[in-house]
Amino acid sequence: MAVSERPTPDFSKFKSSEALLKQREWKSRIMAGIIGLAFVIAMIPLISLLWTTIARGVKRLNLNFLAYNMSGVIGGMPTPTGGHGGIEHAIIGTLEVTLGAMLISVPVGLMCAIYLTEYARGSKFAKAISLLVNVMSGIPSIVAGLFAFSLFAILMGPGVSNGFEGSVALSILMIPTVVNSSVEMLRIVPDDLREASYALGVTKSRTIVKVVLRTALPGIVSGVILAIARVIGETAPLLMTAGFIVTTNWNLFSGQMTTLPVFVYQEYSKMSVTCPPTAGPGCVASIPSERSWAAALVLIAIVLVLNLVGRLVQHLFSVETK
Amino acid sequence: MTSKDGGARGVAPVAFAGAKTSRHGQDKIFHAVALCCGALILVALGAVVLFLLLRAWPIFAGPHAQTSAVFASLSGGKAHGFWQYVGPLVFGTVVIAALALAIAFFVAVGVALFITFYARKRIQTILNYVVDLLAAIPSVIYGLWGALVLVPATYPFWNWVSVHLGWIPLFAGPAANPPRTVASAAVILAIMIMPIITSMTRDIFAATPRLNQEAALALGATKWEMIKLTALPFAKSGMVSASMLALGRALGETMAVMMVLSPGMTYSWHWLQASKSQTIAANIAAQYPEADSLGVSALIATGLVLFVITFVVNLLARRITRKGGAR
């Protein structure tokens, strides 16, 4: 109606000048450059780390290194078997301690996830638990180690040190990861499946075990594998719980146990050994650091393979749902 | 029992009455086990605090002369009481972690932006894997690499900084050689926490509403303006909570700091000089093997302080995530 009475906006004010356009264009380009630079900077340490570990680790990594422990190794002198000591005991220790942690945390974590998703979905108690699970996942690993140490010192007397103590420490770190990944996987299971099962007269526990868990199984498995990959490299808590020995200990519940990360650290802190002039050419002064690089390479390989397997399982699972 | 459960029971045929009760019993046991495992989380957290307190108690309750002797021997004669001992450690922990976060944050967000908005689809998946790979490498290997490769390699850079920026008290020289300093420890920690921030912010950036992005582009925004207008505001709370989580991780990191840093017990701001600060976690791991019973109590007491700090930081991070609408 009274269109003509409206003030006419001064469009020329908004007209973009050539210079302004150029400036904005350039700003965008510069930011793209900065973002690309950030990416390059972030890649440098990764490449350097992988490269040095492989280059320095390969030198001492042979069958002898994998098949013998450190008993009878004197300084940089070669052992009677022709090697310079090895990590057989550390690999066994790592596997047993991690297996122990897994046996504690997988049932507990899985049942907790089932409680959160199947029984108490959205209740106040469930919310409190899931908040605490999240907070628990931020517990420093050294505090978990101190906890296991205190627990065993108080319950079993001072000076106790065995592999299982390390398993307890690791399970504190592992449970939240298992709970979180399992909850995510259980939530994906469609409600239709549950309802169909109930409609057939199947009880709730059977529905959960036979239908829900079976559907979510690959996702849960991959979550567990990733959780293992995370704790298998933990050092600090094992330093104070599982201890350090040079011989092979098969018993998880008695006596100290060496794990790979602790071995890496211990060899690193030795740095080098002195070779007396009479030692001959077989003596290697820098053997501890070489051993620690080789053990680090084995550790990285284990962690990466676990990650790869976990992701592969996840990938196969996600294809199935679509 | 929930109402859902009641419904499931209702449809069971009467003919199986006997089987029904036993199955019902199974159901109850299963529910109870699940509830127990849920409650176990509460118990476990409570037990962590309880057993740490129990084991740390002697250092607070013991005779003063003895405890002060313990602190003196742990700190090399510098501290005689608990707060005097833990003060510099808290200072070192917070400074190093904050510094690491300051270094990591911008790089991490940059990488996340690169992955989400600049990289091609194919490269995206590879890069996501690379970021996860960075996060998966054990801290002891970062420590090994940091101590034997990074620290020696960065001396020229730190030296240059101390010579040219030495007038800023933070960078006052002479730069330590080898630079086992607060600055180097912070760089190592920054490398370790970067993947955490990247993977979280990447997920949020990827969730930025597509329509907003397209609207911004349709209005003639450049790519950077589009990011600034849509992605960054959308991801703000997520970015804050991601960095809080990363901060929590940095506060508790032990091995890398212990292997790289030359420890000291002062409130010094000189980041490029050696033997100035130490973190709680690294101090526990380093002193633990040689400590006697009371000494271990003292270290566990410092561990409790660390636990409280990380607990608060993590709680805040989760609170922010829940409030922010990004997830």
Short mmCIF file of all heavy atoms in Angstrom, two decimals, chain A residues 139-199:
data_model
loop_
_atom_site.label_atom_id
_atom_site.label_comp_id
_atom_site.label_asym_id
_atom_site.label_seq_id
_atom_site.Cartn_x
_atom_site.Cartn_y
_atom_site.Cartn_z
N ILE A 139 40.66 -41.13 35.60
CA ILE A 139 41.57 -41.38 36.72
C ILE A 139 42.98 -41.56 36.18
O ILE A 139 43.19 -42.34 35.26
CB ILE A 139 41.16 -42.65 37.49
CG1 ILE A 139 39.92 -42.39 38.34
CG2 ILE A 139 42.28 -43.13 38.39
CD1 ILE A 139 39.54 -43.57 39.21
N PRO A 140 43.95 -40.83 36.73
CA PRO A 140 45.32 -41.01 36.26
C PRO A 140 45.78 -42.43 36.53
O PRO A 140 45.42 -43.01 37.56
CB PRO A 140 46.11 -40.03 37.13
CG PRO A 140 45.13 -39.07 37.67
CD PRO A 140 43.84 -39.80 37.77
N SER A 141 46.56 -42.98 35.59
CA SER A 141 46.94 -44.38 35.73
C SER A 141 47.76 -44.59 37.00
O SER A 141 47.67 -45.64 37.63
CB SER A 141 47.72 -44.83 34.51
OG SER A 141 48.90 -44.08 34.38
N ILE A 142 48.51 -43.57 37.40
CA ILE A 142 49.35 -43.76 38.59
C ILE A 142 48.49 -43.88 39.84
O ILE A 142 48.82 -44.61 40.77
CB ILE A 142 50.38 -42.62 38.72
CG1 ILE A 142 51.39 -42.94 39.82
CG2 ILE A 142 49.72 -41.31 39.07
CD1 ILE A 142 52.78 -42.96 39.37
N VAL A 143 47.34 -43.19 39.84
CA VAL A 143 46.44 -43.30 40.99
C VAL A 143 45.84 -44.69 41.05
O VAL A 143 45.69 -45.28 42.13
CB VAL A 143 45.34 -42.21 40.93
CG1 VAL A 143 44.30 -42.43 42.00
CG2 VAL A 143 45.95 -40.84 41.08
N ALA A 144 45.52 -45.26 39.87
CA ALA A 144 45.03 -46.64 39.84
C ALA A 144 46.09 -47.58 40.41
O ALA A 144 45.77 -48.51 41.17
CB ALA A 144 44.67 -47.03 38.41
N GLY A 145 47.34 -47.33 40.06
CA GLY A 145 48.43 -48.14 40.60
C GLY A 145 48.54 -48.01 42.10
O GLY A 145 48.67 -49.00 42.83
N LEU A 146 48.45 -46.77 42.60
CA LEU A 146 48.51 -46.55 44.04
C LEU A 146 47.36 -47.26 44.74
O LEU A 146 47.53 -47.82 45.82
CB LEU A 146 48.43 -45.05 44.36
CG LEU A 146 49.66 -44.21 44.03
CD1 LEU A 146 49.38 -42.75 44.31
CD2 LEU A 146 50.85 -44.68 44.83
N PHE A 147 46.19 -47.23 44.11
CA PHE A 147 45.03 -47.89 44.70
C PHE A 147 45.28 -49.39 44.85
O PHE A 147 45.08 -49.96 45.92
CB PHE A 147 43.78 -47.65 43.85
CG PHE A 147 42.67 -48.62 44.12
CD1 PHE A 147 42.01 -48.61 45.33
CD2 PHE A 147 42.31 -49.56 43.17
CE1 PHE A 147 40.99 -49.53 45.59
CE2 PHE A 147 41.30 -50.47 43.42
CZ PHE A 147 40.65 -50.45 44.64
N ALA A 148 45.72 -50.04 43.77
CA ALA A 148 45.96 -51.48 43.83
C ALA A 148 47.03 -51.79 44.87
O ALA A 148 46.90 -52.73 45.66
CB ALA A 148 46.38 -52.01 42.47
N PHE A 149 48.05 -50.96 44.90
CA PHE A 149 49.12 -51.15 45.87
C PHE A 149 48.58 -51.06 47.30
O PHE A 149 48.85 -51.92 48.15
CB PHE A 149 50.21 -50.10 45.63
CG PHE A 149 51.22 -50.03 46.74
CD1 PHE A 149 52.24 -50.96 46.80
CD2 PHE A 149 51.14 -49.05 47.71
CE1 PHE A 149 53.16 -50.92 47.83
CE2 PHE A 149 52.06 -49.00 48.73
CZ PHE A 149 53.07 -49.93 48.80
N SER A 150 47.77 -50.00 47.58
CA SER A 150 47.22 -49.83 48.93
C SER A 150 46.30 -50.98 49.29
O SER A 150 46.35 -51.50 50.41
CB SER A 150 46.44 -48.53 49.04
OG SER A 150 47.17 -47.47 48.52
N LEU A 151 45.47 -51.37 48.33
CA LEU A 151 44.52 -52.46 48.56
C LEU A 151 45.25 -53.72 49.00
O LEU A 151 44.91 -54.34 50.01
CB LEU A 151 43.72 -52.72 47.28
CG LEU A 151 42.65 -53.78 47.32
CD1 LEU A 151 41.42 -53.24 48.02
CD2 LEU A 151 42.28 -54.23 45.91
N PHE A 152 46.28 -54.09 48.23
CA PHE A 152 46.98 -55.34 48.54
C PHE A 152 47.82 -55.20 49.81
O PHE A 152 47.97 -56.15 50.56
CB PHE A 152 47.85 -55.78 47.36
CG PHE A 152 47.07 -56.53 46.33
CD1 PHE A 152 46.14 -55.88 45.53
CD2 PHE A 152 47.23 -57.90 46.17
CE1 PHE A 152 45.40 -56.57 44.58
CE2 PHE A 152 46.48 -58.61 45.23
CZ PHE A 152 45.57 -57.94 44.44
N ALA A 153 48.37 -54.00 50.04
CA ALA A 153 49.19 -53.80 51.24
C ALA A 153 48.33 -53.93 52.49
O ALA A 153 48.75 -54.47 53.50
CB ALA A 153 49.87 -52.44 51.19
N ILE A 154 47.08 -53.41 52.40
CA ILE A 154 46.21 -53.45 53.58
C ILE A 154 45.60 -54.83 53.76
O ILE A 154 45.53 -55.34 54.88
CB ILE A 154 45.12 -52.36 53.46
CG1 ILE A 154 45.77 -50.99 53.65
CG2 ILE A 154 44.02 -52.58 54.49
CD1 ILE A 154 44.89 -49.85 53.25
N LEU A 155 45.20 -55.47 52.67
CA LEU A 155 44.53 -56.76 52.80
C LEU A 155 45.50 -57.91 52.98
O LEU A 155 45.18 -58.90 53.64
CB LEU A 155 43.64 -57.01 51.58
CG LEU A 155 42.47 -56.05 51.38
CD1 LEU A 155 41.62 -56.48 50.19
CD2 LEU A 155 41.60 -55.98 52.63
N MET A 156 46.65 -57.84 52.36
CA MET A 156 47.53 -59.01 52.35
C MET A 156 48.89 -58.75 52.99
O MET A 156 49.78 -59.59 52.90
CB MET A 156 47.73 -59.50 50.92
CG MET A 156 46.42 -59.85 50.25
SD MET A 156 46.61 -60.38 48.56
CE MET A 156 47.47 -61.92 48.80
N GLY A 157 49.02 -57.63 53.65
CA GLY A 157 50.28 -57.35 54.30
C GLY A 157 51.21 -56.58 53.38
O GLY A 157 51.09 -56.66 52.16
N PRO A 158 52.15 -55.83 53.98
CA PRO A 158 53.03 -54.98 53.18
C PRO A 158 54.01 -55.81 52.35
O PRO A 158 54.31 -56.96 52.69
CB PRO A 158 53.77 -54.16 54.24
CG PRO A 158 53.67 -54.96 55.49
CD PRO A 158 52.40 -55.74 55.41
N GLY A 159 54.47 -55.22 51.29
CA GLY A 159 55.50 -55.86 50.48
C GLY A 159 54.97 -56.86 49.48
O GLY A 159 55.75 -57.54 48.83
N VAL A 160 53.65 -56.97 49.35
CA VAL A 160 53.10 -57.89 48.35
C VAL A 160 53.29 -57.30 46.97
O VAL A 160 53.01 -56.13 46.75
CB VAL A 160 51.61 -58.15 48.60
CG1 VAL A 160 51.05 -59.08 47.54
CG2 VAL A 160 51.40 -58.74 49.98
N SER A 161 53.77 -58.10 46.06
CA SER A 161 53.91 -57.63 44.69
C SER A 161 53.73 -58.81 43.76
O SER A 161 54.53 -59.73 43.76
CB SER A 161 55.31 -57.01 44.51
OG SER A 161 55.45 -56.56 43.19
N ASN A 162 52.64 -58.81 43.02
CA ASN A 162 52.46 -59.88 42.04
C ASN A 162 51.71 -59.38 40.82
O ASN A 162 51.23 -58.24 40.79
CB ASN A 162 51.77 -61.09 42.67
CG ASN A 162 50.42 -60.76 43.25
OD1 ASN A 162 49.63 -60.02 42.65
ND2 ASN A 162 50.13 -61.28 44.42
N GLY A 163 51.61 -60.24 39.84
CA GLY A 163 51.00 -59.84 38.58
C GLY A 163 49.54 -59.47 38.74
O GLY A 163 49.05 -58.55 38.09
N PHE A 164 48.85 -60.20 39.62
CA PHE A 164 47.42 -59.96 39.77
C PHE A 164 47.15 -58.55 40.30
O PHE A 164 46.16 -57.92 39.93
CB PHE A 164 46.82 -61.01 40.70
CG PHE A 164 45.32 -60.95 40.76
CD1 PHE A 164 44.56 -61.23 39.63
CD2 PHE A 164 44.68 -60.61 41.93
CE1 PHE A 164 43.18 -61.17 39.68
CE2 PHE A 164 43.30 -60.53 41.98
CZ PHE A 164 42.55 -60.82 40.86
N GLU A 165 48.05 -58.07 41.17
CA GLU A 165 47.93 -56.70 41.68
C GLU A 165 47.93 -55.73 40.49
O GLU A 165 47.15 -54.78 40.46
CB GLU A 165 49.13 -56.43 42.59
CG GLU A 165 48.93 -55.33 43.59
CD GLU A 165 50.15 -55.18 44.49
OE1 GLU A 165 50.84 -56.18 44.75
OE2 GLU A 165 50.41 -54.05 44.91
N GLY A 166 48.81 -56.01 39.53
CA GLY A 166 48.83 -55.19 38.32
C GLY A 166 47.53 -55.30 37.54
O GLY A 166 47.02 -54.31 37.02
N SER A 167 46.96 -56.52 37.50
CA SER A 167 45.69 -56.71 36.79
C SER A 167 44.60 -55.85 37.42
O SER A 167 43.79 -55.25 36.72
CB SER A 167 45.28 -58.18 36.85
OG SER A 167 46.21 -58.98 36.19
N VAL A 168 44.58 -55.80 38.76
CA VAL A 168 43.57 -55.00 39.46
C VAL A 168 43.73 -53.53 39.08
O VAL A 168 42.75 -52.85 38.75
CB VAL A 168 43.67 -55.19 40.99
CG1 VAL A 168 42.80 -54.18 41.71
CG2 VAL A 168 43.28 -56.60 41.38
N ALA A 169 44.98 -53.06 39.09
CA ALA A 169 45.23 -51.66 38.73
C ALA A 169 44.75 -51.38 37.31
O ALA A 169 44.08 -50.37 37.05
CB ALA A 169 46.72 -51.34 38.87
N LEU A 170 45.07 -52.29 36.39
CA LEU A 170 44.69 -52.07 34.99
C LEU A 170 43.17 -52.13 34.81
O LEU A 170 42.59 -51.42 33.98
CB LEU A 170 45.34 -53.10 34.08
CG LEU A 170 46.84 -52.98 33.90
CD1 LEU A 170 47.30 -53.93 32.80
CD2 LEU A 170 47.25 -51.57 33.55
N SER A 171 42.50 -52.99 35.61
CA SER A 171 41.05 -53.12 35.42
C SER A 171 40.33 -51.83 35.82
O SER A 171 39.28 -51.51 35.26
CB SER A 171 40.51 -54.32 36.18
OG SER A 171 40.68 -54.15 37.54
N ILE A 172 40.92 -51.10 36.78
CA ILE A 172 40.33 -49.79 37.14
C ILE A 172 40.33 -48.88 35.91
O ILE A 172 39.41 -48.10 35.68
CB ILE A 172 41.15 -49.13 38.27
CG1 ILE A 172 40.93 -49.87 39.58
CG2 ILE A 172 40.80 -47.65 38.42
CD1 ILE A 172 39.63 -49.57 40.25
N LEU A 173 41.40 -48.99 35.11
CA LEU A 173 41.49 -48.14 33.91
C LEU A 173 40.65 -48.69 32.77
O LEU A 173 40.22 -47.95 31.88
CB LEU A 173 42.95 -48.06 33.45
CG LEU A 173 43.93 -47.50 34.48
CD1 LEU A 173 45.35 -47.72 34.02
CD2 LEU A 173 43.66 -46.03 34.70
N MET A 174 40.42 -49.99 32.79
CA MET A 174 39.79 -50.63 31.64
C MET A 174 38.26 -50.63 31.75
O MET A 174 37.57 -50.51 30.72
CB MET A 174 40.29 -52.07 31.56
CG MET A 174 40.12 -52.72 30.21
SD MET A 174 40.97 -54.30 30.22
CE MET A 174 40.19 -55.06 28.83
N ILE A 175 37.73 -50.76 32.97
CA ILE A 175 36.27 -50.86 33.13
C ILE A 175 35.52 -49.71 32.46
O ILE A 175 34.58 -49.96 31.69
CB ILE A 175 35.91 -50.99 34.63
CG1 ILE A 175 36.27 -52.38 35.13
CG2 ILE A 175 34.42 -50.75 34.86
CD1 ILE A 175 36.10 -52.57 36.63
N PRO A 176 35.89 -48.45 32.71
CA PRO A 176 35.11 -47.37 32.09
C PRO A 176 35.09 -47.45 30.56
O PRO A 176 34.05 -47.19 29.95
CB PRO A 176 35.81 -46.09 32.55
CG PRO A 176 36.86 -46.48 33.48
CD PRO A 176 36.93 -47.94 33.59
N THR A 177 36.23 -47.84 29.97
CA THR A 177 36.27 -47.94 28.51
C THR A 177 35.32 -49.02 28.02
O THR A 177 34.60 -48.83 27.04
CB THR A 177 37.70 -48.29 28.03
OG1 THR A 177 38.63 -47.72 28.92
CG2 THR A 177 37.95 -47.80 26.65
N VAL A 178 35.32 -50.17 28.73
CA VAL A 178 34.43 -51.27 28.33
C VAL A 178 32.97 -50.83 28.49
O VAL A 178 32.14 -51.06 27.60
CB VAL A 178 34.72 -52.53 29.18
CG1 VAL A 178 33.70 -53.61 28.88
CG2 VAL A 178 36.11 -53.04 28.92
N VAL A 179 32.65 -50.18 29.62
CA VAL A 179 31.27 -49.75 29.85
C VAL A 179 30.83 -48.81 28.74
O VAL A 179 29.77 -49.00 28.12
CB VAL A 179 31.13 -49.06 31.23
CG1 VAL A 179 29.74 -48.47 31.37
CG2 VAL A 179 31.41 -50.02 32.35
N ASN A 180 31.64 -47.79 28.47
CA ASN A 180 31.22 -46.79 27.49
C ASN A 180 31.00 -47.39 26.10
O ASN A 180 30.00 -47.11 25.45
CB ASN A 180 32.27 -45.67 27.41
CG ASN A 180 32.09 -44.68 28.54
OD1 ASN A 180 30.99 -44.54 29.06
ND2 ASN A 180 33.16 -44.03 28.91
N SER A 181 31.95 -48.23 25.67
CA SER A 181 31.79 -48.78 24.31
C SER A 181 30.61 -49.76 24.27
O SER A 181 29.87 -49.79 23.29
CB SER A 181 33.08 -49.45 23.85
OG SER A 181 33.36 -50.58 24.63
N SER A 182 30.41 -50.54 25.35
CA SER A 182 29.30 -51.49 25.35
C SER A 182 27.96 -50.76 25.37
O SER A 182 27.03 -51.16 24.67
CB SER A 182 29.38 -52.42 26.56
OG SER A 182 30.60 -53.07 26.61
N VAL A 183 27.87 -49.70 26.17
CA VAL A 183 26.61 -48.94 26.22
C VAL A 183 26.26 -48.43 24.83
O VAL A 183 25.12 -48.56 24.36
CB VAL A 183 26.73 -47.75 27.21
CG1 VAL A 183 25.65 -46.73 26.94
CG2 VAL A 183 26.63 -48.24 28.64
N GLU A 184 27.28 -47.90 24.15
CA GLU A 184 27.04 -47.39 22.80
C GLU A 184 26.50 -48.48 21.88
O GLU A 184 25.55 -48.27 21.13
CB GLU A 184 28.36 -46.87 22.24
CG GLU A 184 28.26 -45.49 21.65
CD GLU A 184 29.64 -44.90 21.48
OE1 GLU A 184 30.27 -45.21 20.47
OE2 GLU A 184 30.10 -44.16 22.38
N MET A 185 27.10 -49.67 21.98
CA MET A 185 26.70 -50.76 21.10
C MET A 185 25.31 -51.28 21.46
O MET A 185 24.52 -51.63 20.59
CB MET A 185 27.71 -51.91 21.21
CG MET A 185 29.01 -51.59 20.52
SD MET A 185 28.72 -51.15 18.82
CE MET A 185 29.87 -49.83 18.60
N LEU A 186 25.01 -51.37 22.77
CA LEU A 186 23.70 -51.87 23.17
C LEU A 186 22.59 -50.91 22.76
O LEU A 186 21.47 -51.32 22.47
CB LEU A 186 23.67 -52.09 24.69
CG LEU A 186 24.55 -53.23 25.21
CD1 LEU A 186 24.51 -53.30 26.73
CD2 LEU A 186 24.08 -54.55 24.63
N ARG A 187 22.92 -49.59 22.73
CA ARG A 187 21.90 -48.61 22.35
C ARG A 187 21.54 -48.75 20.88
O ARG A 187 20.42 -48.41 20.48
CB ARG A 187 22.43 -47.19 22.61
CG ARG A 187 22.46 -46.88 24.08
CD ARG A 187 21.91 -45.50 24.38
NE ARG A 187 21.79 -45.35 25.83
CZ ARG A 187 22.57 -44.57 26.54
NH1 ARG A 187 23.46 -43.81 25.96
NH2 ARG A 187 22.41 -44.50 27.86
N ILE A 188 22.50 -49.20 20.07
CA ILE A 188 22.23 -49.31 18.63
C ILE A 188 21.22 -50.42 18.35
O ILE A 188 20.46 -50.34 17.40
CB ILE A 188 23.55 -49.59 17.86
CG1 ILE A 188 24.49 -48.40 18.01
CG2 ILE A 188 23.28 -49.82 16.39
CD1 ILE A 188 25.82 -48.61 17.34
N VAL A 189 21.20 -51.46 19.21
CA VAL A 189 20.28 -52.58 18.97
C VAL A 189 18.85 -52.05 18.94
O VAL A 189 18.41 -51.42 19.90
CB VAL A 189 20.43 -53.64 20.09
CG1 VAL A 189 19.43 -54.76 19.89
CG2 VAL A 189 21.84 -54.19 20.11
N PRO A 190 18.12 -52.30 17.85
CA PRO A 190 16.78 -51.72 17.73
C PRO A 190 15.81 -52.29 18.76
O PRO A 190 15.88 -53.48 19.09
CB PRO A 190 16.34 -52.12 16.31
CG PRO A 190 17.43 -52.89 15.72
CD PRO A 190 18.54 -53.03 16.67
N ASP A 191 14.92 -51.45 19.26
CA ASP A 191 13.95 -51.89 20.26
C ASP A 191 13.00 -52.94 19.69
O ASP A 191 12.46 -53.76 20.43
CB ASP A 191 13.14 -50.69 20.77
CG ASP A 191 13.81 -50.07 21.99
OD1 ASP A 191 14.60 -50.79 22.64
OD2 ASP A 191 13.56 -48.89 22.28
N ASP A 192 12.80 -52.90 18.36
CA ASP A 192 11.91 -53.88 17.74
C ASP A 192 12.33 -55.31 18.07
O ASP A 192 11.50 -56.18 18.32
CB ASP A 192 11.94 -53.73 16.20
CG ASP A 192 11.44 -52.37 15.80
OD1 ASP A 192 10.99 -51.64 16.70
OD2 ASP A 192 11.50 -52.04 14.60
N LEU A 193 13.65 -55.54 18.07
CA LEU A 193 14.15 -56.88 18.36
C LEU A 193 13.75 -57.31 19.76
O LEU A 193 13.30 -58.43 19.98
CB LEU A 193 15.67 -56.90 18.23
CG LEU A 193 16.24 -56.99 16.82
CD1 LEU A 193 17.75 -57.04 16.86
CD2 LEU A 193 15.70 -58.23 16.14
N ARG A 194 13.92 -56.38 20.71
CA ARG A 194 13.58 -56.71 22.10
C ARG A 194 12.08 -57.00 22.20
O ARG A 194 11.66 -57.99 22.80
CB ARG A 194 13.93 -55.54 23.02
CG ARG A 194 15.41 -55.24 23.09
CD ARG A 194 15.70 -54.20 24.15
NE ARG A 194 17.12 -53.90 24.21
CZ ARG A 194 17.70 -52.91 23.53
NH1 ARG A 194 16.97 -52.12 22.77
NH2 ARG A 194 19.00 -52.71 23.62
N GLU A 195 11.28 -56.13 21.58
CA GLU A 195 9.84 -56.29 21.70
C GLU A 195 9.37 -57.58 21.05
O GLU A 195 8.50 -58.27 21.59
CB GLU A 195 9.13 -55.08 21.08
CG GLU A 195 9.08 -53.91 22.04
CD GLU A 195 8.96 -52.58 21.35
OE1 GLU A 195 8.57 -52.54 20.17
OE2 GLU A 195 9.28 -51.56 21.99
N ALA A 196 9.96 -57.92 19.91
CA ALA A 196 9.60 -59.18 19.25
C ALA A 196 9.88 -60.35 20.17
O ALA A 196 9.08 -61.27 20.31
CB ALA A 196 10.39 -59.32 17.96
N SER A 197 11.01 -60.28 20.86
CA SER A 197 11.37 -61.37 21.77
C SER A 197 10.40 -61.45 22.94
O SER A 197 9.95 -62.53 23.32
CB SER A 197 12.80 -61.14 22.26
OG SER A 197 13.12 -62.08 23.22
N TYR A 198 10.07 -60.29 23.52
CA TYR A 198 9.11 -60.29 24.64
C TYR A 198 7.77 -60.84 24.17
O TYR A 198 7.09 -61.58 24.89
CB TYR A 198 8.89 -58.88 25.18
CG TYR A 198 10.11 -58.30 25.86
CD1 TYR A 198 10.39 -56.94 25.76
CD2 TYR A 198 10.96 -59.10 26.61
CE1 TYR A 198 11.49 -56.40 26.37
CE2 TYR A 198 12.07 -58.57 27.23
CZ TYR A 198 12.34 -57.21 27.10
OH TYR A 198 13.43 -56.68 27.71
N ALA A 199 7.37 -60.47 22.97
CA ALA A 199 6.06 -60.89 22.46
C ALA A 199 5.98 -62.40 22.32
O ALA A 199 4.91 -62.98 22.39
CB ALA A 199 5.79 -60.23 21.11
#
